Amino acid sequence: MIQLQKEYATKLLCHVNPYTGLALIDDPAVMTIQINNEDSVFKGTEDIKDTKGIVPYRQELQRRFNRYLLAKYDTRKNLSDAWTFNGVCALGTEEDPEEGTVLFPEGDFYQVQNNPMGEWTGIESPARYADFTEFGIYINRRYYGTMIDHVRSLGAKVPIVTSNLLNGAADVYSHADGDLMENNTYFNHPIPPFDEAKPKVADMREYVTSNPLTIHKDGLFLRTNMLPMASTAVVAGNPFILSEWNEYGVNPFHSTAFISMAAYACLNDWDGLIVYCYHTSESWNDQPADEITNIFDAYNDPSLICQFGFMAALFLGDLVAPAEHRVDLVFTQNDLKTLPPAFSMPNAYLPYITSLRNVFLDQGDAYTGDADVAVTAGFVNNGDLSQAKRAVYYAWSPYRDALRHANGEGRLERLAAKADEELPGAKLGDRILVFNEIASLAGEGDYTTFAANLDVALKRWGLLPDDRGLVGSALVSDTGELAFDT
């Protein structure tokens, strides 16, 4: 399949257009070359697992996962020991990597979430998830590296991107080897199955929340605003393009959502925005000018298409200033092996206030960057922000690793001893904010207290005046120019 994709890429990119005299590989109209669209080893196929075409690939995935486990652990006994916690083994009695029978955890439309303190046994075991995620990172990076090398060998001059529609930390990390990052996101996307030609209002996600600090208690991160979802794929050192986005609220946000998104892209210093889409048809003669037949279309929607000129002027000009400060969200390699259901807390508040980006540590657990504030991802209890200008700590697990082999008990308490101000569920000092027990504070998807404490810290540290950050029900940018009032 990869060899066939190389052949396809060669024929597509190197074919000379007889009208322009240029191949796509040389055409200056091409902005980027994208290897894949909305795909990843972390995507789930369980719902189509019996479909004839998918069966051999699921078998290959299981076979290769088992070989990976053997390469890592050598024997079933070693794997069993590694997957054992408090005398309980996550490996089923019928599972043996030498027989290729160890099952992999099933994915979802996005990287599936995993509670680092969840039940130890079963298909959702943190141990199984940790090793499959490590395996998945390897598979994604190997594949994209192979394709990037091939496309570069053809003479590609433009930036190459891996894929898009990224959300989970491991998925984002394993797509970061391209020249830039892309992400796709929607507000109120229709729920399939729906009439592809003409989705109705009844198909819409009318149960989404417009308040980013309050995620629905069923934990579906998709049911929130575009800015928090998009920002999960912003990586330090990589340009970022929001490569596909739209707002399908019908009312009351449709006429303002697009300018708002362009403004917040400026605040966060993003590099490109591509609205989906001008029109959905591939025919030239079925585009009525006076009727909106598809909510995905922009060309004949006056509430949207008439804003395009202003949106371009806003994004390309200096109408909206970039944020005055920068926050780094810091992931260790151990963080990447789990994904707490409420992992999106920082993304729900910070991109509205200032510039937020992800930092992935490839060597060790110590952050050495120069952001105004560093926030530990805190999926496990091991990030070291001691060299940061200001640090925010919390941990979804008391253990330093997803397999629960090394206990980090007492670490947050020692850090909190450097703080002097009591906040709800946290302690604040001149350079540090430590949350005592984040799961009880934000584990149900309500990030209001988390954001309020972070806001107090930013103001104490002199990064926000009193009239910015959380002001009543509004989120006000550190520039004072933007206010998002829920």
Side-chain angles (χ1 to χ4, degrees):
M1 290 294 287
I2 292 175
Q3 185 59 37
L4 288 172
Q5 189 174 359
K6 288 181 180 179
E7 293 177 15
Y8 168 74
T10 302
K11 292 177 180 179
L12 174 71
L13 296 171
C14 296
H15 169 74
V16 176
N17 184 328
Y19 300 100
T20 65
L22 290 170
L24 286 174
I25 203 80
D26 300 314
D27 197 325
V30 175
M31 180 185 74
T32 62
I33 296 170
Q34 181 178 304
I35 301 299
N36 218 326
N37 181 66
E38 295 191 351
D39 215 345
S40 170
V41 72
F42 294 113
K43 294 274 188 180
T45 55
E46 185 178 27
D47 57 334
I48 54 171
K49 65 182 179 182
D50 297 323
T51 305
K52 182 178 180 181
I54 203 71
V55 169
Y57 301 104
R58 284 179 59 87
Q59 291 173 341
E60 179 183 352
L61 185 65
Q62 182 165 330
R63 184 172 66 252
R64 293 183 68 177
F65 177 49
N66 278 260
R67 289 176 178 173
Y68 186 86
L69 293 173
L70 279 177
K72 182 175 181 178
Y73 295 109
D74 189 44
T75 66
R76 184 188 187 282
K77 181 182 184 307
N78 290 343
L79 173 61
S80 177
D81 290 345
W83 282 17
T84 297
F85 172 72
N86 280 352
V88 178
C89 184
L91 189 67
T93 56
E94 74 289 352
E95 291 184 303
D96 186 343
E98 296 184 42
E99 301 294 330
T101 54
V102 181
L103 300 177
F104 56 87
E106 296 290 348
D108 205 336
F109 194 62
Y110 281 120
Q111 178 187 341
V112 70
Q113 297 167 1
N114 184 262
N115 183 354
M117 295 307 293
E119 290 294 326
W120 191 249
T121 58
I123 199 69
E124 296 180 358
S125 165
R128 186 185 306 270
Y129 186 93
D131 274 329
F132 181 76
T133 304
E134 186 178 72
F135 162 74
I137 290 172
Y138 164 75
I139 291 292
N140 272 348
R141 295 189 70 180
R142 181 176 181 271
Y143 161 70
Y144 285 118
T146 297
M147 290 305 302
I148 289 170
D149 284 344
H150 177 71
V151 174
R152 281 277 174 246
S153 75
L154 300 177
K157 304 170 184 65
V158 298
I160 298 175
V161 67
T162 52
S163 189
N164 44 25
L165 196 69
L166 311 174
N167 185 253
D171 207 16
V172 173
Y173 174 74
S174 63
H175 283 82
D177 290 331
D179 298 307
L180 55 88
M181 297 298 295
E182 289 184 356
N183 207 6
N184 297 350
T185 186
Y186 292 89
F187 181 86
N188 218 22
H189 194 288
I191 305 173
F194 53 81
D195 183 348
E196 293 281 355
K198 195 172 183 179
K200 306 293 193 300
V201 173
D203 297 319
M204 308 301 286
R205 291 181 183 269
E206 295 297 353
Y207 45 85
V208 295
T209 175
S210 59
N211 184 349
L213 300 181
T214 308
I215 307 299
H216 284 267
K217 289 192 176 182
D218 56 18
L220 283 184
F221 184 54
L222 287 168
R223 300 181 184 178
T224 188
N225 296 341
M226 290 183 284
L227 180 59
M229 289 191 288
S231 65
T232 58
V234 178
V235 177
N238 296 51
F240 177 75
I241 293 177
L242 188 56
S243 47
E244 186 180 316
W245 61 289
N246 207 325
E247 186 280 336
Y248 302 124
V250 183
N251 66 77
F253 310 118
H254 193 66
S255 64
T256 58
F258 300 92
I259 287 174
S260 171
M261 198 67 197
Y264 281 105
C266 292
L267 180 74
N268 284 272
D269 198 24
W270 294 351
D271 300 279
L273 296 168
I274 305 174
V275 174
Y276 183 88
C277 64
Y278 183 71
H279 63 69
T280 47
S281 174
E282 296 182 12
S283 301
W284 68 272
N285 60 353
D286 66 345
Q287 301 293 300
D290 58 353
E291 181 185 0
I292 300 173
T293 61
N294 194 309
I295 60 167
F296 291 92
D297 290 347
Y299 78 98
N300 62 353
D301 181 349
S303 73
L304 175 53
I305 196 67
C306 293
Q307 300 184 46
F308 270 33
F310 179 66
M311 287 165 62
L314 184 154
F315 184 74
L316 297 174
D318 57 1
L319 294 178
V320 176
E324 294 180 358
H325 304 290
R326 192 180 74 241
V327 177
D328 283 351
L329 184 57
V330 182
F331 296 83
T332 68
Q333 290 297 302
N334 271 305
D335 283 322
L336 300 180
K337 298 176 187 178
T338 184
L339 191 65
F343 71 92
S344 57
M345 296 179 309
N347 305 87
Y349 166 78
L350 285 165
Y352 289 95
I353 307 301
T354 191
S355 174
L356 175 68
R357 65 184 190 178
N358 295 321
V359 171
F360 296 102
L361 302 180
D362 285 319
Q363 302 293 329
D365 297 334
Y367 168 80
T368 58
D370 61 353
D372 297 287
V373 180
V375 181
T376 181
F379 294 179
V380 293
N381 192 9
N382 73 334
D384 177 4
L385 307 181
S386 59
Q387 299 179 63
K389 295 178 183 177
R390 303 164 189 88
V392 178
Y393 285 96
Y394 51 85
W396 289 99
S397 165
Y399 295 91
R400 293 182 57 86
D401 64 313
L403 291 172
R404 304 184 193 170
H405 288 167
N407 203 323
E409 200 170 51
R411 193 178 80 104
L412 292 183
E413 289 78 3
R414 289 191 294 272
L415 290 166
K418 303 174 184 178
D420 55 26
E421 182 178 348
E422 292 284 349
L423 299 177
K427 285 194 70 176
L428 173 62
D430 289 336
R431 290 182 55 249
I432 194 168
L433 173 64
V434 182
F435 288 88
N436 307 329
E437 218 285 278
I438 200 67
S440 61
L441 186 73
E444 295 298 320
D446 186 337
Y447 308 150
T448 307
T449 303
F450 172 81
N453 287 352
L454 192 52
D455 193 73
V456 171
L458 294 177
K459 287 171 178 171
R460 172 168 170 171
W461 296 336
L463 300 177
L464 290 178
D466 289 341
D467 60 350
R468 297 175 194 179
L470 275 176
V471 182
S473 60
L475 298 165
V476 182
S477 67
D478 64 4
T479 62
E481 292 183 344
L482 304 180
F484 182 91
D485 195 323
T486 60

